[in-house]
Amino acid sequence: MLNTLKLATAASLLALSAPAFSNEAETQSSTEERKSETYTAQQFFDSTSFGLGSSGGHVFTSDGEHVLINSDSSGVFNAYLLPLAGGEPVALTNSTTNAVFASSLFPNDNRVIYTSDGGGNELNHVYLRELDGTVRDLTPGEGHTARFGGWSGDDTSFYIATNERDPQAFDLYIYSADDYSRELLFENPGNFFPGSVSDDGRWMVLSRNNSSADSDLFLVDLEGNAEPKLITEHEGNISYGSYGFTRDSSKLIFATNEHGEFSQAWTYDLTTGETAPYLKADWDVSFVSYSRSGRYRVSGINADALTQLTLLDQQTGQEVELTGVPEGNLGSIRFDEGENQIAFTVSSDTSPSDIYVADLASGQAKRLTSALNSAIDEADLVTASIGRFESYDGVEIPGVLYRPQSASADNPAPAIVWVHGGPGGQSRRGYNPTIQHLVNNGYAVYAINNRGSSGYGKTFFHMDDKRHGEADLGDVVASKDYLQGKDWIANDRIAIMGGSYGGYMVAAALAFEPEVFDAGVNIFGVTNWVRTLKSIPPWWGANRKALFDELGDPETDEERLRKISPLFHASNIVKPMLVVQGANDPRVLQVESDELVAAVKANGVDVEYVLFEDEGHGFRKKENRVEASEAYLNFLDQHIGR
C-alpha cells in the first residue's frame, strides 16, 4: 500500500542517506596488524544491488517457484524472476537507459507491474508487462508522476496514485486486473497524501502535514460520501502517520509521538473510534505490516541507526526463529500466498543486500544471491561503530564511524566528515559501496547525525528548525575536534563530504567556516535556498507548508535564506571543492552547481565539476557511480592525501 508514514515530514525531501555495524570500542580494539587488499571503485560497483518487489504487491509467482526482484547486474536496474531452487535470474525487462523497479506480479500469473522514470527526473510512470513481453503504460501522458498503491483485498484490482489531473495533488484510482480499466476513487483537494486502502475496500487513510512538527490523519469512507474525516484531533505539535490497516479491516495502525520523544504504534478502531497503544520501544517504531491472513506481524525499530526487526506468529504468540542467516540487517520480508515461506534481504556494513528464502514452519533459510563482488574479500572491508561526542553547546551528537584497517597512531588516516541528506535524514548502518571504497583506500569516515537528524527523538529532530546552516553546521564543525582527538586520525587532513542537503552543508562549511575543513566534496547540494524553495517540484505540493515551516518561506524569509545560502557567500571559499551533479535533478537544479562552480573559480580556488547528463537526484547507473567514486577518491588523494 502507499506509504503514509511521514512523521519526519521534511526529512526525505532532499534525502541522500549514508549508511553504516558494532560499538566504537569493539572496532577500535580490533585493529590488528593485518594487511588488507585495496580495491578499485569498479570492483566495488561490480557488486550487485538486489531488492524485492513492493510490500504491497505479490512477490512470489503463483506456482511458488520464483520471486520478483530488482537487480542492477546489467549496469541498470531491471526486473527479474529469481528461481527459488537456485540458478540465474530470468530477465523480465532489459532497459539500458532508465532504471526499472518491479512492484508486483499478478496474483494468478506472471504479468508484472513496474515503475520507471526518465533519466532520474522522478516522473515515474506505472507500466504493465504482459505475458508475451509487450508493455503497456498504465499512466500515459507527459509531466506527471505515478505510484503503485497495492492490491485490493480480493485481488481483482489494484491501486495507482497519480498527479496527472493536478500537479500538486495525487488522486487515487482503482484498476481492473482483467481489462485495466480504471475508476477514480478519491479526488484529492490538494493537501493530502493518499495512503492505504483497507482489504475490504471501504476505508482509505490520508495524511496531512500542518507543519514540520505537526500532522494529522484522516479517514475516507469509500462506500459513503468520500469526505475526509479527521481522526487525530489534537492541540500542539504532534505528528501522526499510518502503518496501514489490520488484515480484518477492523483497525488502523497509526504512528504518533504524542506520548514521548519517539514514535509509537497505536490502533484506531474503525467502528468505535477508540484508540489504544499497540507497540512501543525506546526508539522509533519504523514500520508494522502483516502477512496476507494477518497471522504474522512484521515490525521494525530504528535502534541507534540499525533496524531491529521482529517476525511474530500471532497465532502462537512466538517470534519466528530463522536459522542459516548471517548476522546483519534483515529487511523487506515478503510472504507467499499460503504463508508457508518468506523471501527477505540480509545486509551488513561489509556486504550488500542478498536475497534469502525461509520456510516458516522450520525457520530454515536459504541464500539465493551473492551480491558482493567475488573479487573482494569481505574481511578486507570495515565494520562500523557508533561514535558520540559533545557538541559546542553540550548536546550529544551521534554518528557512524569507519576506521580503516591500516589506521593507527603510527599511521594516522586522513578523515572525512560525511553529512547525510534531508534536512532531517539519518546516516544509518548498512552497506555503502562509496564509503567502503574510501575506507578501503585509507580514509576514515564519520557519518554524522547532527541535530535535526531523525531517529533520536522529536526534540533532537527539531533543534535546527529555521537554524539550518547555523545550529546543525555547528555540530559538523565540532565533529572535527572529536576526530582530532583520536590518535589514529591525521588531525591536519580532514575533509567534508555529503549529498543533497549534505552537499549544502559541504558548501556552507566552506563558505561560513572557511578554515575548518581542508577540502569539500559537494554532491548535488543546494547553494541558493531562495531559488530551491521556489522551484519545489509540483508533486511536493502537500509538503510545501511543512518544508517552509522548517526552512523558511522564500516570499517572507528571503533575507535569512540568502544569509544561509553558500552561493551568496562564495567569495569566502578558499579550500578546494569537488562538485558532482545530475543534469535531470528535479530537486536540486543543475544551475545550483553551475553557479557555485563559477563563483569558486572566480576566487582562483581549485574546483572540479563532474556533470552526469543522464542522472537525477542520485546516481542509478553503475558506470556513473563508478565514475563518481573515482572522482571522489582522486580529488581527496590530491588534497588531503592517504
Side-chain angles (χ1 to χ4, degrees), residues 278-345:
Y278 187 60
L279 184 64
K280 67 177 181 178
D282 293 331
W283 301 92
D284 287 329
V285 177
S286 300
F287 55 85
V288 178
S289 64
Y290 301 92
S291 62
R292 191 62 186 268
S293 73
R295 173 177 174 176
Y296 296 97
R297 186 189 77 190
V298 183
S299 59
I301 306 298
N302 179 10
D304 211 7
L306 179 67
T307 299
Q308 294 179 348
L309 186 143
T310 301
L311 174 55
L312 179 68
D313 184 341
Q314 299 193 110
Q315 185 172 296
T316 65
Q318 300 296 313
E319 292 183 21
V320 176
E321 298 290 340
L322 300 177
T323 58
V325 180
E327 183 179 352
N329 293 301
L330 272 69
S332 302
I333 291 184
R334 308 287 187 256
F335 295 84
D336 71 350
E337 295 304 304
E339 298 182 354
N340 298 311
Q341 57 185 338
I342 55 172
F344 58 97
T345 61

Side-chain angles (χ1 to χ4, degrees), residues 34-40 43-44 47 348-352 367 371-383 405 431 436-437 439-441:
R34 178 186 181 277
K35 180 66 175 177
S36 61
E37 189 74 23
T38 301
Y39 303 102
T40 66
Q43 287 175 302
F44 275 100
S47 298
S348 71
D349 285 348
T350 57
S351 177
R367 181 177 177 174
L372 186 65
N373 181 2
S374 59
I376 296 177
D377 183 347
E378 191 172 343
D380 291 328
L381 307 187
V382 170
T383 294
Q405 293 187 11
Y431 186 74
Q436 286 288 352
H437 175 233
V439 176
N440 177 251
N441 279 271

